[in-house]
Amino acid sequence: MLRTQTSLSTWSQERNMKWLVLLGLVAFSECIVKIPLRRVKTMRNTVSGKNMLNNFLKEHAYRLSQISFRGSNLTSHPLRNIRDLFYVGNITIGTPPQEFQVVFDTGSSDLWVPSIFCNSSTCSTHVRFRHLQSSTFRPPNKTFRITYGSGRIEGVVAHDTVRIGDLVSTDQPFGLSMAESGFEGIAFDGVLGLSYPNRSFFGAIPFFDKLKNQGAISEPVFAFYLSKDKQEGTVVMFGGVDHCYYKGELNWVPLIQAGDWSIHMDRISMKRKVIACSDGCEALVDTGTSYIQGPGRLVNYIQKLIGATPRGSKHYVSCSAVNTLPSIIFTINGINYPVPARAYILKDSKGRCYATFKEHRLSSSTEIWFLGDVFLRLYFSVFDRGNDRIGLARAV
């Protein structure tokens, strides 16, 4: 849902001058940051390379199982499940604090919320930041534009104090959207990105990196437990891992390359037959994506296999068939992660059942999949910045 489809582009000088006046800036320095889609060589069928990586991770692993969470700086923050489509949590910005509901997104790096100057119809339904009411606000010196799969925002980058529970980042760069489109009817105000600094559209230090640099967290890790079929129960935790949220051991998967939360996936199969990712592929573990997304040709093949027929923007199946549909298995680092039909089939507002496989529109020479909330509701996920790896385990 939140995946970006295009890079930043330049705003007109006329619009910049308008915001110059509005924000009372003496000088306005426009900064253009272009982030192209990075094509990386996947780690495939190189046993010696995989063993070397695994050995390195074992030698440099955090002893997460030995962390005493009551005595550590582990911070758990509740999120709210919105119809199994996305998860939002409260943060505050400014002094005194102004509260916003944001999506915690591992697929992006920046924090943004609407500005009081945003007059778009979308902004009128969301909480807007009132910069004049904050004594710690520092005016902007950059502009940005981001186009998502579901909408577009344009705005400026400012600085202020940001809080998540007891975690505080002072002078945090964040975006103030001045214009939004495509987010009508969506119950969140903005986005808080949790990816690497090089993914920042602002060219700014992300919130998690500020916490890490300030020593506010005991370990450079965060983790997600996503609830199913109910609003309460979802948690994001910073600085450690609460083992009560998963069963068994965490299976650690090295990132393809430090820079985003992409891992190598071995294959996707159903009934012991490989149906996608046959030669290995790239998978982005993405809390900001509602569904499981992949190349159109392969997604359509999966829809055909499960008997889903298109109707509007979704592919529907008979609700009575859900109990008979097979699991789809994602094999990652040699371990199978089954996704049963009860997980990959959801109901719409009219009670009709639809498949949660969706085509992404990225142009890439390699096969890429997005493992979104449909997958992550089943598997507790740990994002380890210190060792550039992801941990997965069966969620309770």
Side-chain angles (χ1 to χ4, degrees), residues 3-17:
R3 295 290 50 79
T4 54
Q5 301 294 332
T6 62
S7 304
L8 295 177
S9 59
T10 310
W11 283 11
S12 67
Q13 187 64 26
E14 178 182 352
R15 195 154 204 172
N16 286 339
M17 291 304 296

Side-chain angles (χ1 to χ4, degrees), residues 33 35 108-110 193-210 212-213 258-261 385 388:
V33 181
I35 303 179
S108 64
S109 298
D110 296 307
L194 290 169
S195 192
Y196 282 70
N198 64 293
R199 297 278 293 178
S200 171
F201 276 52
F202 305 163
I205 301 175
F207 177 81
F208 184 78
D209 287 79
K210 287 272 286 184
K212 182 165 60 75
N213 296 344
D260 63 21
W261 297 113
R385 278 288 301 277
D388 299 318

Side-chain angles (χ1 to χ4, degrees), residues 141-180:
N141 62 355
K142 299 177 184 178
T143 64
F144 72 94
R145 174 186 292 174
I146 306 176
T147 300
Y148 294 101
S150 54
R152 185 177 68 179
I153 63 168
E154 302 176 346
V156 293
V157 182
H159 295 72
D160 211 328
T161 299
V162 177
R163 296 175 176 85
I164 300 177
D166 296 330
L167 298 174
V168 181
S169 174
T170 57
D171 201 38
Q172 173 65 47
F174 72 105
L176 283 171
S177 67
M178 300 291 191
E180 297 182 12

Side-chain angles (χ1 to χ4, degrees), residues 4 29 57 73 99 107 170-171 218 222 324 351 358 360 378 385:
T4 54
S29 173
L57 292 175
N73 290 335
E99 189 171 82
T170 57
D171 201 38
S218 55
F222 58 90
T324 63
K358 186 176 181 181
H360 67 59
L378 296 170
R385 278 288 301 277

Side-chain angles (χ1 to χ4, degrees), residues 85-145:
L85 293 177
F86 51 89
Y87 297 81
V88 299
N90 293 338
I91 67 167
T92 67
I93 304 176
T95 307
Q98 301 175 41
E99 189 171 82
F100 300 87
Q101 290 193 81
V102 297
V103 172
F104 289 72
D105 178 25
T106 58
S108 64
S109 298
D110 296 307
L111 165 64
W112 65 265
V113 296
S115 165
I116 190 62
F117 289 125
C118 180
N119 294 319
S120 304
S121 59
T122 303
C123 289
S124 66
T125 62
H126 295 155
V127 178
R128 289 175 284 184
F129 182 72
R130 300 174 181 270
H131 66 281
L132 292 178
Q133 295 182 5
S134 175
S135 62
T136 47
F137 177 78
R138 189 154 66 86
N141 62 355
K142 299 177 184 178
T143 64
F144 72 94
R145 174 186 292 174

Side-chain angles (χ1 to χ4, degrees), residues 15-319:
R15 195 154 204 172
N16 286 339
M17 291 304 296
K18 175 183 176 182
W19 291 333
L20 256 172
V21 175
L22 288 172
L23 296 173
L25 297 176
V26 176
F28 194 102
S29 173
E30 185 176 39
C31 178
I32 307 300
V33 181
K34 185 176 182 181
I35 303 179
L37 178 67
R38 180 171 54 85
R39 296 178 178 177
V40 296
K41 182 179 181 181
T42 58
M43 298 178 296
R44 61 181 78 199
N45 302 327
T46 53
V47 177
S48 59
K50 178 184 276 190
N51 288 340
M52 288 174 62
L53 270 169
N54 288 338
N55 290 337
F56 175 85
L57 292 175
K58 289 178 182 178
E59 292 172 6
H60 296 79
Y62 291 129
R63 299 187 180 276
L64 294 175
S65 60
Q66 298 180 15
I67 292 177
S68 173
F69 297 108
R70 292 179 181 175
S72 75
N73 290 335
L74 172 70
T75 296
S76 292
H77 191 67
L79 304 182
R80 188 160 58 96
N81 180 352
I82 309 297
R83 302 189 306 276
D84 281 350
L85 293 177
F86 51 89
Y87 297 81
V88 299
N90 293 338
I91 67 167
T92 67
I93 304 176
T95 307
Q98 301 175 41
E99 189 171 82
F100 300 87
Q101 290 193 81
V102 297
V103 172
F104 289 72
D105 178 25
T106 58
S108 64
S109 298
D110 296 307
L111 165 64
W112 65 265
V113 296
S115 165
I116 190 62
F117 289 125
C118 180
N119 294 319
S120 304
S121 59
T122 303
C123 289
S124 66
T125 62
H126 295 155
V127 178
R128 289 175 284 184
F129 182 72
R130 300 174 181 270
H131 66 281
L132 292 178
Q133 295 182 5
S134 175
S135 62
T136 47
F137 177 78
R138 189 154 66 86
N141 62 355
K142 299 177 184 178
T143 64
F144 72 94
R145 174 186 292 174
I146 306 176
T147 300
Y148 294 101
S150 54
R152 185 177 68 179
I153 63 168
E154 302 176 346
V156 293
V157 182
H159 295 72
D160 211 328
T161 299
V162 177
R163 296 175 176 85
I164 300 177
D166 296 330
L167 298 174
V168 181
S169 174
T170 57
D171 201 38
Q172 173 65 47
F174 72 105
L176 283 171
S177 67
M178 300 291 191
E180 297 182 12
S181 62
F183 294 109
E184 291 82 0
I186 295 180
F188 62 82
D189 302 313
V191 174
L192 190 148
L194 290 169
S195 192
Y196 282 70
N198 64 293
R199 297 278 293 178
S200 171
F201 276 52
F202 305 163
I205 301 175
F207 177 81
F208 184 78
D209 287 79
K210 287 272 286 184
L211 295 180
K212 182 165 60 75
N213 296 344
Q214 292 169 185
I217 51 178
S218 55
E219 302 285 357
V221 300
F222 58 90
F224 281 88
Y225 172 80
L226 304 185
S227 66
K228 314 169 190 68
D229 303 320
K230 57 183 180 179
Q231 283 199 355
E232 307 304 323
T234 296
V235 173
V236 58
M237 54 200 74
F238 297 93
V241 179
D242 188 337
H243 306 293
C244 295
Y245 287 99
Y246 66 89
K247 305 173 184 176
E249 296 294 320
L250 285 166
N251 302 311
W252 293 105
V253 187
L255 301 183
I256 291 175
Q257 181 175 315
D260 63 21
W261 297 113
S262 293
I263 56 178
H264 176 75
M265 185 158 60
D266 303 332
R267 59 190 170 274
I268 302 173
S269 58
M270 187 174 76
K271 294 181 176 179
R272 299 184 179 180
K273 177 184 177 183
V274 177
I275 59 174
C277 190
S278 56
D279 295 320
C281 59
E282 180 178 346
L284 182 68
V285 183
D286 189 356
T287 59
T289 293
S290 303
Y291 303 143
I292 296 173
Q293 297 188 8
R297 175 181 59 85
L298 296 171
V299 167
N300 289 335
Y301 179 55
I302 293 175
Q303 306 283 26
K304 182 178 179 181
L305 288 174
I306 62 176
T309 56
R311 191 184 311 162
S313 61
K314 293 181 173 66
H315 283 70
Y316 288 88
V317 299
S318 170
C319 292

